[in-house]
Amino acid sequence: MSAERLRSVDAYWRAANYLTAGQIYLMDNPLLRTPLERQHLKPRPLGHWGTSPGLNFIYAHLNRAIIDHDLDAMYVIGPGHGGPALFANAWLEGNYTRTRPDIARDGHGMATLFREFSFPGGVPSHVAPEVPGSIHEGGELGYSLAHAYGAALDNPNLLVACVIGDGEAETGPLAASWHSNKFINAATDGAVLPILHLNGYKIANPAVLARITDGELDCLLRGYGHHPIYVGGDDPQQLHQDMAAALSRAVAMISEIQNAARTASSPLPRPQWPMIVLRTPKGWTGPRQVDGLPVEGTWRSHQVPIADVRTDPQHRRQFVEWLYSYHPDELFDEMGCPTTLVTDNIPAPERQMGANPNANGGLLLTPLHLPAFKEFAVSTVRPGDATAEPTRTLGRYLCEVMVRNACYRNFRLFGPDETASNRLGDVYDVTEKQWNAAVLPTDEHLAHDGRVLEVLSEHLCQGWLEGYLLTGRHGLLNSYEAFAHVVDSMVNQHAKWLKVSRQLPWRAPIASLNYLITSHVWRQDHNGFSHQDPGFIDHVANKRAEIARIYLPPDANTLLSVAAHCLASRDYINVIVAGKNDAPVWLTAEQAALHCARGADIFEWASTDAGSVPDVVLACAGDVPTTEVLAAVSILRNRLPKLKIRVVNVVDLFRLQSDTQHSHGMTDAEYDTLFTTDRPVIFAYHGYPSLIHRLTYRRRNHQHLHVRGYLEEGATTTPFDMLVLNKMDRFQLVIDTIDLTPRLDGPGASALRADMLATQDRHRDWIRTYGEDMPEVTDWRWDPNTE
Amino acid sequence: MSAERLRSVDAYWRAANYLTAGQIYLMDNPLLRTPLERQHLKPRPLGHWGTSPGLNFIYAHLNRAIIDHDLDAMYVIGPGHGGPALFANAWLEGNYTRTRPDIARDGHGMATLFREFSFPGGVPSHVAPEVPGSIHEGGELGYSLAHAYGAALDNPNLLVACVIGDGEAETGPLAASWHSNKFINAATDGAVLPILHLNGYKIANPAVLARITDGELDCLLRGYGHHPIYVGGDDPQQLHQDMAAALSRAVAMISEIQNAARTASSPLPRPQWPMIVLRTPKGWTGPRQVDGLPVEGTWRSHQVPIADVRTDPQHRRQFVEWLYSYHPDELFDEMGCPTTLVTDNIPAPERQMGANPNANGGLLLTPLHLPAFKEFAVSTVRPGDATAEPTRTLGRYLCEVMVRNACYRNFRLFGPDETASNRLGDVYDVTEKQWNAAVLPTDEHLAHDGRVLEVLSEHLCQGWLEGYLLTGRHGLLNSYEAFAHVVDSMVNQHAKWLKVSRQLPWRAPIASLNYLITSHVWRQDHNGFSHQDPGFIDHVANKRAEIARIYLPPDANTLLSVAAHCLASRDYINVIVAGKNDAPVWLTAEQAALHCARGADIFEWASTDAGSVPDVVLACAGDVPTTEVLAAVSILRNRLPKLKIRVVNVVDLFRLQSDTQHSHGMTDAEYDTLFTTDRPVIFAYHGYPSLIHRLTYRRRNHQHLHVRGYLEEGATTTPFDMLVLNKMDRFQLVIDTIDLTPRLDGPGASALRADMLATQDRHRDWIRTYGEDMPEVTDWRWDPNTE
């Protein structure tokens, strides 16, 4: 790097550092051109200084490399606590002004930039949706590298520079993410450049990777499959040269890997991708010592390195000296605009990281070409006359989605080694599992290029998918229901990202995060208690109404309808809960479409109320509960033919909530029409019963609502015994109906009740003898002639 | 290993494999001494064969090593799907008979062992609490190594052999767990021996670590700080010799490391602990091919390797050949008891892994010596006249707990780099943070031996703590509230473990899993939206009533009382939510003890109903909500002195639920006494309002219950603005009171209402100007003279 280039990179870095410190402390007088007064200082300085100079250093050098090598680059900042650093860079580029025209790139704008940072009504202290160029909030640590790989998939010309803090590196999700390089295809995907930033400390402790030997660290990173390039020290001039050389070398290695892969006639062995290890002091260039205690290079620089600047004159002097140490007069002109010395290190607008359209993926979003789901529907004439494995039916639809969008390379399926187990395996008729580790002759469906990504880590699946969506593509994650909880906290963070992004006019909508939750609680009888947990729905139900959508399609055809709807939607988190086991198909394609559009509706073909007010409502949400309700109704119709029953099925769970709370919610009038105002409602629900109460407690008829669901009773047993253990079996539902329906106390009802109890007992004895369910329940079919 | 020893080890292994396959398939005729008939076979064979022969191989060799080296060893089985293998070994040892006297170690017992496995009314298909010797359910993968390290802490003579499957190795928590060796102290802790079992496949895919080069794998494991010892192949005779040598070598290395550390005059550098990499075929010794497709050595052996054995005569023949290949007549005598050839490889009873008391930790549990919490209470005369940082107050109590139990070495504090941030740092007056990676002069409180473990991974903290508790010790995990969700799925699995364990008479109760959830939603104003999430409570509230306990102490003294109670409790998951910021102390120590014992009670000193029926109830749960309610009451008492107000505070959240649903629940009569049957109840709650509704929807006065809480509105702002954004600020509570209390519509009320709205506006303007809350709210103190 020439002396001139070095000077510009250094000036850019100093400018960013100045702006970072300014944001943390200053409300006014941003260029310190008048003596610093108390009222110029924030009463409550907030922000994380420690990581920021390193982030600015990396940003300055990425800019240099972008200019010199004409890179299409974006960043992911794992140490996202360093928000002021990224706001500073976005402002220097002019991209902050682009998204916030009220904040100009001059002294006035700088004052607002400073004031608004971590200030009421302003912007957050972390890298957040408000930062142009970011797809990643670093508030909760662990997901940067997975996000980076998700962004790189199918973006062959993109370089994703991913900064990983040594704190974040201790988390599980990050530790697992290193192996993402076994799944990336050098020919068709972009490159991720991990930059492990070792500044030695977390909040209050040293970081593990900063305190193992150099030899161990090198081994570890090579063991992850990387070629590490080391840069370290605290002398800026030397480090500028070293970092520039390291980045150029990394870029050259990536180029070589990609060229080789893209010109080879057959797939090449997995390459050793370069990565950079940058070791710099925490709080670098900040105050060395404060009150006699070391700050730079220690955890004391983690947040605000000098306290009480407003009130302590000595501290205030030290703060001013610190800011002057960057020589702001070289960096900002009279008007407060960055000087050319600084701006020389800013790439052309279309190459700036803060303007990379991949980081505002909605801009690049090509809608999926979705086939009509009806073409894939299971043919059925009468309810229940056909059966299907719902997820297998969906798998065939997903095949066609893959085929129709193959040329766009913008749709992927993600799963934690469960795609086949979840019976979506038909997708392997049209694509492969992407994989570039070793392959043996016995393997199937592994290839360097494929639309399915499978790794035994829900964290990685979710992280990759989020990165893929945030850069403007589409996808679906399939998971066993119980283990979706592994990513609870990632769901939270994505929901928060969506909520804030939707409030920013410049962020374009992205494809929804779609979950297919299957291998669910009622059919994990064979795997036992550890695999039985329907609580993921409850977790998502806590998210904002404008973000969360939960669907419980009762059969294969409604699953198709729901999935097609979700794949076309934007900015939601869609949770679809559906079974994989063979089960009755209740609705034709036409009926399914209508039913899903309504979200909750009467199954008139199953009801006996003939449009009048029923004696009892049997409601259901979920495939297994629907079957049980219909089986119970079948018994009731046969044995108590005069009973007026209404069957209500709920596909879209938030229909139950009030329209004042959720845009999908029903009005009270609609609710009353479906559920009556005074008749008993026996509701068989897929998950924990409390969720149904929580959604309906304000409804007029809530006092008559009796919910059956999962009571956290599980074991390795039969599917029907799971229902019996949790009191949601058809016999129990008949008993509930008899017990709760007023005036249903004749001898017929009493006899039926006794029969139901006897049948439950008989089932219990049967399974303990034969190890499988009674034919009476496994062979049961809805019989319309019971009427 | 001599030929004789080898023969015994091999026989033991074959016996275990025979018993494993038998459990998966057979209901009767366990020794195949009569021709195999349809009715001898399970109708629905269930279980995971693939991993089991490897687990049996490891178990057989651990037995050999225990005998030869007189080891005190226990196991943790990561591939816990291999349940039948561990049941087989427990049965061979006689430990299954010890816990299940109805299942003898003979042919009759074997028949029951087989029949009950994965059978209705029987035992689960995975390693579960039912397996003597296990502390770990392998149903959800990722936590084995962390559990193993937790077990080894403070158990200097214990060897914990931890089998890690190559599938599990892909998960985040497992990937992070390797670095646990930076926290173990060779002088005072036991040893963990990781055994990475590479059998190549997961459910349907190859495993990453089995498909990287040998060089990369070696680098990776050395990078983790281990000394790997490799054993691999498929020839049992060779592998027996190799595995025996590897284990003996590992045991010798561990011994050497421990001896050195225990005789050194000053702490030694971190050692390179040995580990074993065992590469064997998946489904080893099972059917090579079925119907022409390879099974042994592929993912096809993952579960049941031969299907339709009941109906397909060719498959049945193959099954019988497979079982005969183990030569059962050498292994079991006439009565079906294991022959001495087999039992020669079983250690003496006190050394058997299935009988290791550490794996039934309640047996070893020494109750904590707990100081009286009152000695640490904040001195206060009148409500609110003193302030304290609740968690700092607790920190001083924890110091004393550490001191009093120091000689027992059975209490530890775990935290994800947040112990100081959570203001528990006073514990460093009496102990250190345990750490054996490099230390620099600027570091503080790091030592090889210490009671605090800090790593930036909630997964590791939780996994270590679980392992520590399950082996009979005590602990507390402190975490930022929002990030407790990281371990949602671990909480689920621990809750399931506790539920099942409590039903097993031979499993002794263990210390509760205690969470101190702090840095909570209302005071993460400075960290912003990503740090604001109170949903962990909701997650735990879904767990079984006999397991889950949730406490929201309103001040420092009640926090002490609650914490002392939780530390003495058994078999619960206790969630304590408390702030770290300076806040009023409402109750004296005496009052706090009484209040916590009641769980929910009237704050009579704040109420104006004087024992009569109030006009309105203001209820609160959580420290910040309590302060807001009292501030609102303060305003109401002043401005509407005739209003009869009752203040109810809830510490123990499940008091709200019915006594029929939770053992802490109130009867309806109690509830009605506190909350009235017809007066408006304005409830300020720490978390999502829906939880309060969900707990109370059946109560008589539920229709008048109006809950304020977190509405998922957050930002980087001031503490009071967090309340305003979520409509739980004192001014809003006053408005709610005016709006909801019947006949409260006089001019005084109207004027007050207008004042409140104006004050909210004034606050909004104030914070946007000054960046901090108005003195009116920050300086507010409860003034009893407002009466």
Side-chain angles (χ1 to χ4, degrees), chain A residues 27 43-44 46 48 81 115 118-121 124-126 137 139-141 167 170-172 175-176 182 201-206 208 211-212 216 219-220 222-225 270 272 299-300 417 433 435 437-440 442-444 446 454-457 459 483 485-486 488-489 492-493 496 499-500 525-527 529-533 538-539 542-544 688 690 693-694 697-698 702 705 711-713 716-718 767-772, chain B residues 27 43-44 46 48 81 115 118-121 124-126 137 139-141 167 170-172 175-176 182 201-206 208 211-212 216 219-220 223-225 270 272 299-300 417 433 435 437-440 442-444 446 454-457 459 483 485-486 488-489 492-493 496 499 525-527 529-533 538-539 542-544 688 690 693-694 697-698 702-703 705 711-713 716-718 767-772:
Chain A
M27 290 173 80
R44 200 174 168 234
L46 288 177
H48 289 76
H81 287 60
R115 182 190 178 82
S118 244
F119 200 82
S125 60
H126 300 165
E137 225 281 6
E140 177 171 319
L141 303 177
E170 291 176 18
T171 66
K182 315 304 177 300
Y201 287 97
K202 299 168 289 190
I203 305 183
N205 285 291
V208 170
R211 296 297 181 86
I212 60 177
E216 278 183 337
C219 258
L220 184 65
R222 289 181 193 277
Y224 286 141
R270 177 168 49 86
Q272 270 57 55
W299 78 93
R300 290 192 193 86
D417 189 33
K433 291 180 275 199
W435 168 270
V439 175
L440 298 182
T442 41
D443 294 335
E444 289 184 353
L446 300 178
E454 291 237 284
V455 61
L456 210 164
S457 165
H459 290 114
F483 306 136
H485 276 299
V486 169
D488 274 3
S489 59
N492 282 352
Q493 297 301 331
K496 287 173 186 287
K499 171 180 187 277
V500 175
D525 43 281
H526 61 297
N527 268 324
F529 197 35
S530 66
H531 285 51
Q532 297 158 358
D533 187 296
D538 299 69
H539 182 68
N542 269 348
K543 303 301 108 194
R544 298 280 301 186
Y688 295 106
S690 58
H693 288 296
R694 167 179 152 185
Y697 64 85
R698 289 281 184 224
H702 182 254
L705 177 64
L711 301 172
E712 199 78 24
E713 287 293 348
T716 306
T717 185
T718 67
I767 60 170
R768 291 183 178 224
T769 308
Y770 301 106
E772 58 187 350
Chain B
M27 290 173 77
R44 201 173 166 233
L46 288 177
H48 290 76
H81 287 60
R115 182 192 180 81
S118 244
F119 200 83
S125 61
H126 299 165
E137 225 281 5
E140 179 172 318
L141 303 177
E170 291 176 19
T171 67
K182 315 303 177 300
Y201 287 96
K202 299 168 287 190
I203 306 182
N205 285 291
V208 169
R211 297 296 182 87
I212 61 177
E216 278 184 337
C219 258
L220 184 65
Y224 286 139
R270 175 169 50 86
Q272 269 58 55
W299 77 93
R300 290 191 193 87
D417 189 34
K433 290 178 276 198
W435 168 269
V439 176
L440 297 182
T442 41
D443 295 335
E444 288 185 352
L446 299 179
E454 290 237 284
V455 61
L456 209 164
S457 165
H459 290 115
F483 307 136
H485 277 299
V486 170
D488 274 3
S489 59
N492 282 353
Q493 297 302 331
K496 286 172 186 287
K499 171 181 187 277
D525 44 281
H526 60 296
N527 268 325
F529 197 34
S530 66
H531 285 51
Q532 297 158 358
D533 187 297
D538 299 69
H539 182 68
N542 269 349
K543 302 300 108 194
R544 297 280 300 185
Y688 295 106
S690 58
H693 288 296
R694 167 178 150 185
Y697 64 84
R698 288 279 183 227
H702 182 255
Q703 60 176 317
L705 177 64
L711 302 172
E712 198 79 25
E713 287 292 347
T716 307
T717 185
T718 66
I767 59 170
R768 290 181 178 228
T769 308
Y770 300 106
E772 58 186 350

Side-chain angles (χ1 to χ4, degrees), chain A residues 148-297:
Chain A
Y149 276 99
L153 287 167
D154 295 319
N155 263 330
N157 300 318
L158 186 67
L159 174 73
V160 188
C162 179
V163 186
I164 300 155
D166 46 10
E168 180 177 24
E170 291 176 18
T171 66
L174 198 291
S177 298
W178 291 106
H179 289 297
S180 300
N181 57 21
K182 315 304 177 300
F183 297 87
I184 207 87
N185 179 8
T188 55
D189 298 321
V192 172
L193 177 65
I195 301 172
L196 178 63
H197 186 206
L198 300 178
N199 69 22
Y201 287 97
K202 299 168 289 190
I203 305 183
N205 285 291
V208 170
L209 292 194
R211 296 297 181 86
I212 60 177
T213 65
D214 290 348
E216 278 183 337
L217 182 65
D218 192 66
C219 258
L220 184 65
L221 301 174
R222 289 181 193 277
Y224 286 141
H226 277 292
H227 179 110
I229 303 168
Y230 297 91
V231 179
D234 61 1
D235 170 22
Q237 299 317 308
Q238 184 60 47
L239 254 72
H240 280 312
Q241 291 292 2
D242 294 350
M243 186 66 175
L247 265 176
S248 288
R249 188 163 158 225
V251 167
M253 287 174 72
I254 288 169
S255 225
E256 204 172 305
I257 289 168
Q258 291 179 334
N259 286 339
R262 291 167 195 187
T263 53
S265 53
S266 62
L268 299 178
R270 177 168 49 86
Q272 270 57 55
W273 293 94
M275 66 168 290
I276 291 174
V277 179
L278 175 65
R279 201 185 283 267
T280 60
K282 186 154 185 159
W284 193 20
T285 74
R288 291 254 162 106
Q289 291 203 333
V290 178
D291 300 334
L293 290 171
V295 173
E296 190 191 31

Side-chain angles (χ1 to χ4, degrees), chain B residues 9-231:
Chain B
V9 170
D10 185 67
Y12 181 95
W13 179 46
R14 284 186 283 127
N17 285 341
Y18 182 92
L19 294 165
T20 299
Q23 287 174 77
I24 295 174
Y25 283 95
L26 295 174
M27 290 173 77
D28 204 349
N29 191 12
L31 288 157
L32 300 180
R33 288 185 178 161
T34 65
L36 185 62
E37 306 284 345
R38 178 189 165 89
Q39 72 272 17
H40 301 150
L41 287 155
K42 294 186 178 179
R44 201 173 166 233
L46 288 177
H48 290 76
W49 169 251
T51 187
S52 293
L55 296 178
N56 288 331
F57 184 80
I58 292 165
Y59 207 102
H61 278 273
L62 286 170
N63 273 356
R64 201 281 309 167
I66 289 167
I67 295 169
D68 285 4
H69 304 290
D70 189 31
L71 303 175
D72 180 9
M74 65 180 282
Y75 65 78
V76 172
I77 304 293
H81 287 60
L86 278 294
F87 279 113
N89 285 287
W91 184 85
L92 281 173
E93 290 173 341
N95 285 307
Y96 201 48
T97 306
R98 183 173 54 78
T99 59
R100 286 287 307 274
D102 55 322
I103 299 183
R105 195 168 65 157
D106 60 17
H108 292 293
M110 195 191 296
T112 314
L113 172 76
F114 285 9
R115 182 192 180 81
E116 274 204 355
F117 174 77
S118 244
F119 200 83
V123 298
S125 61
H126 299 165
V127 184
E130 287 89 342
V131 181
S134 181
I135 60 162
H136 176 84
E137 225 281 5
E140 179 172 318
L141 303 177
Y143 317 127
S144 62
L145 194 53
H147 284 165
Y149 275 100
L153 287 167
D154 295 318
N155 263 331
N157 300 319
L158 186 66
L159 174 73
V160 188
C162 179
V163 186
I164 300 155
D166 46 10
E168 180 176 25
E170 291 176 19
T171 67
L174 197 292
S177 298
W178 292 105
H179 290 295
S180 299
N181 57 22
K182 315 303 177 300
F183 298 88
I184 208 85
N185 179 8
T188 55
D189 298 321
V192 172
L193 177 65
I195 301 172
L196 177 62
H197 185 206
L198 301 178
N199 68 23
Y201 287 96
K202 299 168 287 190
I203 306 182
N205 285 291
V208 169
L209 292 194
R211 297 296 182 87
I212 61 177
T213 65
D214 290 348
E216 278 184 337
L217 182 65
D218 191 66
C219 258
L220 184 65
L221 301 173
R222 289 180 192 278
Y224 286 139
H226 277 292
H227 179 108
I229 304 169
Y230 297 91
V231 179

Side-chain angles (χ1 to χ4, degrees), chain B residues 406-596:
Chain B
C407 61
Y408 302 98
R409 301 184 66 85
N410 65 347
F411 178 70
R412 284 181 178 269
L413 189 58
F414 300 80
D417 189 34
E418 293 162 0
T419 301
S421 170
N422 289 335
R423 304 193 187 171
L424 299 170
D426 283 351
V427 295
Y428 301 131
D429 291 349
V430 301
T431 190
E432 309 286 354
K433 290 178 276 198
Q434 187 160 318
W435 168 269
N436 71 10
V439 176
L440 297 182
T442 41
D443 295 335
E444 288 185 352
H445 300 305
L446 299 179
H448 278 221
D449 186 21
R451 300 277 99 204
V452 181
L453 283 166
E454 290 237 284
V455 61
L456 209 164
S457 165
E458 288 80 3
H459 290 115
L460 272 190
C461 290
Q462 167 106 9
W464 290 342
L465 174 54
E466 286 180 359
Y468 200 62
L469 298 174
L470 287 160
T471 49
R473 282 78 65 78
H474 309 262
L476 178 77
L477 194 164
N478 74 92
S479 172
Y480 276 39
E481 182 178 48
F483 307 136
H485 277 299
V486 170
V487 292
D488 274 3
S489 59
M490 298 183 78
V491 178
N492 282 353
Q493 297 302 331
H494 191 71
K496 286 172 186 287
W497 181 277
L498 289 176
K499 171 181 187 277
V500 175
S501 292
R502 290 170 70 129
Q503 293 161 351
L504 299 171
W506 59 274
R507 284 240 176 229
I510 60 168
S512 300
L513 174 54
N514 298 310
Y515 291 97
L516 175 66
I517 299 297
T518 182
S519 301
H520 63 51
V521 54
W522 301 109
R523 296 306 296 265
Q524 283 294 303
D525 44 281
H526 60 296
N527 268 325
F529 197 34
S530 66
H531 285 51
Q532 297 158 358
D533 187 297
F536 187 66
I537 298 172
D538 299 69
H539 182 68
V540 174
N542 269 349
K543 302 300 108 194
R544 297 280 300 185
E546 67 262 34
I547 306 292
R549 300 287 181 272
I550 297 166
Y551 299 98
L552 294 145
D555 69 1
N557 288 346
T558 46
L559 171 60
L560 285 175
S561 172
V562 163
H565 173 80
C566 291
L567 288 173
S569 73
R570 300 286 178 269
D571 277 351
Y572 296 145
I573 294 176
N574 294 311
V575 177
I576 308 172
V577 183
K580 68 185 184 184
N581 301 87
D582 199 42
V585 180
W586 303 114
L587 302 181
T588 65
E590 291 298 329
Q591 290 167 331
L594 186 61
H595 187 59
C596 292

